[in-house]
Amino acid sequence: MAILVICCVALAACASNFPRYASDFSLIVPNGSYAITASHCVQCSCGPGNLKLYCMPASLAVSCSSMQCKNSNLMVGNYTAQQSSAGCNVTSCNYGGFVNGSIVTTLSTSLQPRCPGAQQFPPLIAPPTSVIRDSMFAPSPAPQSDGLRTLAPRSSLVPSTTGSLPGLAPVGGPLGSASDACSLVNSLATFPIASLLFFFFKFVFAIL
């Protein structure tokens, strides 16, 4: 009896906590990758140091709404840290989703055991600069000779019709003179007489 075992492997990812009315609600970014949101204005990354979603202005942002948190000079992705006897007071400007074409920002303050270090980003892999051609897409080779004799092409010349009948002009050509027509009539008229003389002499020799 065969037993089918299905294994599910959970992939590490960073989940967002944007409100339900945001257009990028439930945004999930896999660990070690990026995601562009807010109409190509915000870039969110995950890892590699932790699984906390980090968002900042996209490098290719052109025309975007304000990304500055209210009552602060901080922009999305910026923070300030102040060490104290109780810990580290961290104030950060976070991205809160894309709502009705506007970027929502939230200013948060928290007390952490130690101040955060520099933000780590996933490595960027440059796209390939050249394309490797596959042999299956190469052009077909030129046809090779099989050793057979190649037939010469047929001539496109039209055979001459000048020798068809004596005294007649070729097809499509100019008509002959009156003397040519008379000679033709005379040769046709003498043909029956010559035939009669031939049969007469043949009959006489047969009797003798």
Side-chain angles (χ1 to χ4, degrees):
M1 180 178 178
I3 300 177
L4 179 61
V5 179
I6 301 177
C7 297
C8 297
V9 179
L11 299 178
C14 297
S16 62
N17 56 354
F18 305 150
R20 291 184 176 273
Y21 50 84
S23 59
D24 49 3
F25 168 72
S26 69
L27 175 67
I28 298 178
V29 181
N31 186 21
S33 63
Y34 293 85
I36 304 297
T37 184
S39 186
H40 305 284
C41 291
V42 177
Q43 171 183 306
C44 297
S45 61
C46 179
N50 53 57
L51 296 180
K52 183 179 179 181
L53 189 67
Y54 176 78
C55 298
M56 59 180 292
S59 58
L60 299 179
V62 178
S63 179
C64 303
S65 60
S66 175
M67 300 187 195
Q68 183 177 354
C69 286
K70 294 181 180 180
N71 303 323
S72 172
N73 294 328
L74 299 178
M75 300 289 291
V76 170
N78 296 144
Y79 70 92
T80 59
Q82 184 178 1
Q83 187 69 44
S84 66
S85 58
C88 184
N89 293 319
V90 179
T91 302
S92 59
C93 181
N94 304 316
Y95 172 68
F98 193 60
V99 179
N100 297 328
S102 299
I103 296 176
V104 178
T105 58
T106 58
L107 187 66
S108 63
T109 302
S110 62
L111 180 62
Q112 300 180 9
R114 58 178 180 272
C115 293
Q119 178 65 33
Q120 296 180 359
F121 298 96
L124 292 177
I125 300 176
T129 57
S130 61
V131 178
I132 300 176
R133 295 186 177 181
D134 196 349
S135 59
M136 65 179 297
F137 297 107
S140 58
Q144 301 294 330
S145 175
D146 54 359
L148 299 179
R149 184 183 62 181
T150 304
L151 298 178
R154 294 183 178 180
S155 176
S156 60
L157 298 178
V158 179
S160 175
T161 56
T162 55
S164 57
L165 289 176
L168 292 181
V171 178
L175 296 177
S177 60
S179 60
D180 295 337
C182 293
S183 61
L184 177 61
V185 172
N186 293 334
S187 60
L188 294 178
T190 57
F191 178 74
I193 300 175
S195 300
L196 291 177
L197 291 177
F198 173 74
F199 287 110
F200 175 75
F201 286 110
K202 184 176 181 181
F203 178 73
V204 172
F205 289 128
I207 297 176
L208 298 178

